[in-house]
Amino acid sequence: MSRTAENYRGYNFAYLDEQTKRMIRRAILKAIAIPGYQVPFASREMPMPYGWGTGGVQVTAAILGPSDVLKVIDQGADDTTNAVSIRQFFEKTAGVETTTETGKASVIQTRHRIPEAKLQANQVLVYQVPIPEPLRFLEPRETETRTLHALAEYGLMHVRLYEDIAQHGHIAKTYAYPVLVADRYVMDPSPIPKFDNPKMHESAALQLFGAGREKRIYAVPPHTKVVSLDFEDHPFEATKFEQPCALCGAKDSYLDEVITDDRGGRMFVCSDTHHCETRRCEGHLGPLGMPVTEAAE
Amino acid sequence: MNPLLVAEGLSKFYGARIGCRDVRFALEPGEVLAIVGESGSGKTTLLNLLSGQLAPDSGAVRYRLRDGRTKNLLDLSEAERRLLARTDWGFVHQDARNGLRMGVSAGGNIGERLMGVGDRHYGRIRENAMAWLGRVEIDTGRIDDKPTQFSGGMRQRLQIARNLVTHPRLVFMDEPTGGLDVSVQARLLDLIRGLVADLGLAVVLVTHDLAVARLLSHRILVMKDGHVIEAGLTDRVLDDPQEAYTQLLVSSVLAA
Amino acid sequence: MNPVLQVSGLSKAFHLHLHGGTRLPVVEGVDFVVHQGECVVLGGPSGAGKSSILKAIYGNYLASSGAIILDDGEAPVDVVTASPGAIIALRRHMMGYVSQFLRVIPRVPAIEIVAEAARASGFSPDEAGGRAGRLLAHLNLPERLWNLPPATFSGGEQQRVNIARGFAGDHRFLILDEPTASLDAANREAVIALIAERKAVGTAFLGIFHDAEVRERVADRTIDVTRFSPVREIAA
């Protein structure tokens, strides 16, 4: 207790009061019991604005224990403002150990990516979700979308994909690509790139989704079927990249475009910073990469 | 004959006010029934009762399903009723915005029902959409345009195509030509007449326009204050009305 | 063999609710029959109720009392008590009506109007098209008009489209309500020939013809409608 007492600095463990955490845990349990179903919950005001991951933060706060090791990523990176501030928030309010190493973390909160390293059975991935309703832009009435989910009337979802093909010749949606979970509920996987969609399928880790402003929690339990929607004659295809990561040479990771100067210079690098670093430490080098040294850090 | 739909003593009250009272009739396959009367006479209430969108306070609507069973709509689950509504029924609204997805292309609007019953082949859906656009006389080149870019008459025709793509047996129409220019109305009426005859559709048509009722329907129910006050063969009711109110209605139409 | 049409004890009166509930009797005690292959003409001055009798037989007017039995050789139907569905079926398969005026959907081509009537009585679309063309040709409607809607046609041209429509089906019984009123001599001949041709194959006709010459030539019998005039109630 002395360790926690020292670290709380006047906050309850992990900021939220115990009643709230219990309420959120009940919602999480229900979400796990009904894979892909959006469970309403009494989302709280958090000391950060909506859009900064208040849903994910509440889910993390509700499941975090003193022995957990937390990793926070934003678009794959551990060092962006959003990731850094959420990590600091839990360091301060829960005093838990934090890490950037995917393999070491027991809880990973993410905004818009799934780490490249395969997740394990003892890990939980917490997604920050801006808009949980996959049917939202097709059917604005919440009463109607709930009915559509209840009756599994998902023709509308394919209308959206149809529109893409009609306009672009292929399904142009590259992120927040809708999936069917456990053959029952259509789910918005949050704005992860569709590159990451196959990683959700039969994942060993528990996946939890929290939408703070929209007050919804949903889940994909470990080893659950997750299928990206498509047409027979336009099957789902994960994004492929033409070149390897400029720094680590990886050919199978999701790449971000980085503008290097104002004359059109650019390079493509792993969006998962920890993955890239690990590979460089292991000696992999891309065309523009430099060996990792203590000095470089 | 084996009726497709039977209304048995349908009543609906809004507090003390009568929505409609003790309405009974049978609709045969391929028959077009017009429900006429002025605003507030209970036409729309009756239409909503018949299509299961409103539960009656008493009475029943029996519908013969495609498998031959006849069921009270109230005994169907929500899922069954909705499936019925998007496969075996059609709805043509006066305001196309209530019947179309305005943000979705014409092709997507027509394809929705097909995708809703599990068609997952883009090419086939699109072919079907093309064929239906042709059938309702919309240039197939407009397949990727949104209804917001369509004229009022085209929107109505698109609504019809969107409904007919699953080959329904019964279509509910609420003032399908209301608010359209007269020139557009004539063409739409002719199209509806042709489709109804070719496809053997049964239609429940709500209208206050007696000329529309004459052109499209076989039979008329005249409603006043929630009651059916006169019913019969369309041309008989319009040419030899028996009730005082029907005589008033018929004699109030301006001859062009 | 039963008559095609048997009218007995038919009366028709109008109740004018909007005019103080006035009861306006038109005909009473109408009794007559029409046999297969014969043309019966209703005679009498204008206002005697000839048209009302035709309309009551077609189901367009509701008879006040009496019976109108139509026999298609299978099941006789009383138009007075028949359901709307039964009357629609009769009109499709058994009885046709050629009115004085053409009432159609605007902007539909003439040939389509005629072909639709043929389709409605059971002809295939191809047969219906052929039938429509032959009828319009027989009635001397210039071929350049076939694909135009009749709204702009002259009265005589419209009337010929109307007659073609009435004859397009394969009805055993045709009601003719002054079909030759606005036709010239040549076209009257065409209509008379058409009636004769159909009579020869057994079609029964009941008609009104103002033109005495036409009436003489087509009528097998004439029934004077004035004998069905109601006893007028004399206001005190």
Side-chain angles (χ1 to χ4, degrees):
Chain A
M1 287 305 285
S2 66
R3 181 170 175 269
T4 44
E6 181 189 324
N7 284 292
Y8 284 6
R9 297 181 197 172
Y11 292 108
N12 192 32
F13 179 76
Y15 186 77
L16 290 177
D17 63 275
E18 294 305 311
Q19 286 303 323
T20 298
K21 285 197 245 175
R22 286 174 67 178
M23 175 272 292
I24 294 173
R25 285 173 199 147
R26 279 196 294 270
I28 291 171
L29 286 174
K30 181 169 178 179
I32 294 169
I34 317 171
Y37 172 72
Q38 298 166 46
V39 182
F41 80 111
S43 179
R44 298 292 195 250
E45 291 289 330
M46 298 303 284
M48 59 190 76
Y50 286 136
W52 282 64
T54 55
V57 167
Q58 289 178 80
V59 170
T60 299
I63 61 170
L64 216 52
S67 60
D68 271 314
V69 179
L70 178 68
K71 170 182 164 82
V72 183
I73 50 173
D74 174 6
Q75 308 268 24
D78 294 276
D79 53 4
T80 56
T81 316
N82 195 208
V84 170
S85 48
I86 291 173
R87 196 159 57 229
Q88 284 176 352
F89 174 76
F90 282 114
E91 281 169 358
K92 187 171 179 181
T93 61
V96 292
E97 189 184 334
T98 57
T99 182
T100 58
E101 282 181 47
T102 304
K104 267 183 71 180
S106 60
V107 175
I108 303 168
Q109 180 170 333
T110 177
R111 176 173 173 271
H112 308 180
R113 268 316 306 278
I114 298 176
E116 304 293 356
K118 200 173 163 81
L119 298 181
Q120 304 303 318
N122 56 358
Q123 294 183 303
V124 182
L125 185 59
V126 178
Y127 296 78
Q128 298 171 201
V129 181
I131 292 164
E133 180 48 72
L135 300 163
R136 174 66 48 86
F137 293 105
L138 295 158
E139 175 51 71
R141 291 167 297 177
E142 183 78 17
T143 46
E144 180 66 10
T145 56
R146 290 214 211 176
T147 309
L148 294 175
H149 282 296
L151 301 175
E153 275 181 26
Y154 290 129
L156 206 49
M157 214 56 251
H158 273 85
V159 171
R160 184 162 154 184
L161 302 181
Y162 169 96
E163 291 291 283
D164 256 18
I165 304 174
Q167 263 183 38
H168 308 289
H170 60 275
I171 299 176
K173 198 151 185 58
T174 54
Y175 64 95
Y177 192 104
V179 292
L180 181 67
V181 179
D183 295 320
R184 178 57 183 85
Y185 286 97
V186 165
M187 185 184 94
D188 186 319
S190 87
I192 59 171
K194 70 174 180 177
F195 175 90
D196 283 341
N197 270 23
K199 295 180 194 164
M200 308 178 78
H201 177 59
E202 299 287 351
S203 168
L206 168 63
Q207 305 172 72
L208 300 176
F209 299 79
R213 183 184 51 215
E214 303 273 335
K215 304 178 174 56
R216 293 288 184 278
I217 287 172
Y218 51 102
V220 176
H223 305 292
T224 300
K225 188 174 166 189
V226 178
V227 179
S228 303
L229 302 182
D230 61 3
F231 286 101
E232 288 158 26
D233 48 345
H234 286 267
F236 172 81
E237 254 180 65
T239 313
K240 287 197 180 66
F241 293 92
E242 283 158 15
Q243 66 273 73
C245 167
L247 298 179
C248 78
K251 288 175 182 149
D252 55 357
S253 71
Y254 188 76
L255 304 181
D256 281 341
E257 181 181 2
V258 177
I259 304 295
T260 51
D261 53 40
D262 56 5
R263 297 182 305 276
R266 58 188 191 160
M267 63 178 189
F268 289 90
V269 298
C270 288
S271 107
D272 184 336
T273 51
H274 171 254
H275 180 70
C276 200
E277 252 173 51
T278 310
R279 282 179 52 84
R280 277 183 285 151
C281 287
E282 288 166 6
H284 298 281
L285 268 192
L288 301 175
M290 284 177 296
V292 177
T293 62
E294 289 299 313
E297 289 190 5
Chain B
M1 280 260 246
N2 199 351
L4 188 62
L5 179 141
V6 179
E8 290 176 357
L10 283 179
S11 297
K12 177 77 189 172
F13 302 94
Y14 300 106
R17 207 163 61 76
I18 297 173
C20 73
R21 181 160 208 167
D22 199 29
V23 176
R24 44 187 77 234
F25 66 86
L27 184 72
E28 302 291 338
E31 188 181 22
V32 180
L33 176 75
I35 302 172
V36 305
E38 48 196 25
S39 316
S41 61
K43 302 188 300 271
T44 302
T45 296
L46 180 56
L47 192 73
N48 288 335
L49 289 172
L50 294 174
S51 56
Q53 297 180 73
L54 201 62
D57 291 322
S58 64
V61 179
R62 300 195 191 281
Y63 183 74
R64 184 155 54 79
L65 301 169
R66 287 198 201 216
D67 62 13
R69 288 178 305 148
T70 296
K71 282 220 154 190
N72 185 347
L73 291 185
L74 284 180
D75 295 339
L76 294 179
S77 69
E78 169 92 351
E80 287 174 309
R81 194 183 63 70
R82 288 175 66 117
L83 182 67
L84 189 68
R86 65 171 198 273
T87 54
D88 211 18
W89 290 356
F91 295 86
V92 178
H93 300 265
Q94 172 172 9
D95 186 346
R97 279 171 296 187
N98 295 327
L100 292 175
R101 293 196 187 278
M102 299 305 280
V104 168
S105 70
N109 264 293
I110 298 176
E112 181 176 344
R113 273 178 169 230
L114 295 174
M115 294 181 246
V117 293
D119 198 331
R120 294 289 177 265
H121 192 282
Y122 174 82
R124 205 161 50 217
I125 292 165
R126 201 164 167 83
E127 246 171 59
N128 230 317
M130 286 276 192
W132 274 102
L133 281 178
R135 200 136 179 202
V136 298
E137 298 162 21
I138 296 176
D139 176 8
T140 50
R142 308 283 312 258
I143 188 168
D144 294 327
D145 291 350
K146 292 183 177 166
T148 44
Q149 297 159 275
F150 285 6
S151 67
M154 280 170 76
R155 288 181 191 178
Q156 291 309 76
R157 281 180 274 137
L158 180 60
Q159 250 200 106
I160 290 166
R162 168 181 159 87
N163 276 288
L164 296 187
V165 69
T166 52
H167 300 285
R169 294 184 300 160
L170 172 60
V171 179
F172 297 97
M173 298 187 181
D174 191 357
E175 306 278 8
T177 58
L180 296 179
D181 290 346
V182 184
S183 58
V184 177
Q185 268 192 28
R187 194 166 153 210
L188 182 64
L189 286 170
D190 185 41
L191 176 77
I192 293 175
R193 235 167 85 109
L195 289 171
V196 164
D198 292 349
L199 303 171
L201 295 174
V203 177
V204 177
L205 165 76
V206 161
T207 182
H208 69 270
D209 187 335
L210 297 181
V212 169
R214 186 191 282 276
L215 282 173
L216 291 181
S217 72
H218 300 118
R219 204 148 54 96
I220 280 189
L221 300 183
V222 182
M223 293 197 71
K224 182 175 192 290
D225 303 330
H227 298 257
V228 173
I229 55 148
E230 185 163 357
L233 208 57
T234 296
D235 60 281
R236 204 281 293 154
V237 171
L238 295 180
D239 293 339
D240 185 16
Q242 304 295 306
E243 298 298 320
Y245 176 72
T246 317
Q247 291 185 357
L248 176 68
L249 213 57
V250 170
S251 66
S252 306
V253 176
L254 293 174
Chain C
M1 192 162 200
N2 290 334
V4 175
L5 170 70
Q6 186 170 1
V7 180
S8 50
L10 174 70
S11 69
K12 174 63 190 168
F14 292 101
H15 285 266
L16 307 179
H17 293 284
L18 305 181
H19 302 277
T22 312
R23 183 172 182 277
L24 195 69
V26 182
V27 287
E28 274 173 10
V30 181
D31 282 291
F32 67 90
V33 295
V34 179
H35 292 281
Q36 187 180 324
E38 95 175 314
C39 180
V40 174
V41 172
L42 299 183
S46 149
K50 302 186 297 291
S51 233
S52 292
I53 294 173
L54 294 189
K55 285 174 176 165
I57 293 168
Y58 194 61
N60 182 224
Y61 279 2
L62 186 68
S64 305
S65 64
I68 299 166
I69 312 289
L70 278 161
D71 192 345
D72 63 354
E74 287 169 21
V77 176
D78 182 355
V79 173
V80 178
T81 55
S83 69
I87 293 176
I88 288 168
L90 274 180
R91 289 178 179 182
R92 195 169 291 151
H93 304 297
M94 185 183 173
M95 97 175 131
Y97 190 96
V98 181
S99 63
Q100 236 171 311
F101 305 104
L102 181 65
R103 180 139 69 175
V104 290
I105 292 194
R107 299 168 62 172
V108 179
I111 185 128
E112 261 310 300
I113 293 170
V114 181
E116 195 199 314
R119 280 201 304 276
S121 90
F123 289 99
S124 75
D126 282 351
E127 288 173 325
R131 227 176 141 79
R134 279 193 302 280
L135 278 164
L136 290 178
H138 177 86
L139 291 164
N140 309 314
L141 190 76
E143 202 163 340
R144 62 187 160 77
L145 297 181
W146 292 9
N147 285 308
L148 297 176
T152 52
F153 293 6
S154 73
E157 288 162 345
Q158 289 197 13
Q159 183 55 1
R160 278 176 278 154
V161 173
N162 202 22
I163 293 166
R165 183 164 71 149
F167 279 79
D170 201 10
H171 300 107
R172 298 163 50 104
F173 175 53
L174 281 176
I175 298 168
L176 309 174
D177 191 349
E178 299 194 33
T180 55
S182 44
L183 298 186
D184 58 27
N187 286 314
R188 273 203 302 273
E189 282 305 319
V191 176
I192 291 167
L194 208 52
I195 294 172
E197 185 187 300
R198 281 296 179 83
K199 268 168 64 176
V201 297
T203 304
F205 288 90
L206 177 65
I208 305 172
F209 298 89
H210 268 178
D211 187 309
E213 188 212 326
V214 178
R215 193 163 58 216
E216 298 275 302
R217 290 183 52 194
V218 300
D220 294 302
R221 280 188 293 136
T222 301
I223 295 170
D224 183 1
V225 169
T226 50
R227 63 185 161 104
F228 308 132
S229 290
V231 182
R232 301 271 174 193
E233 289 149 34
I234 295 158

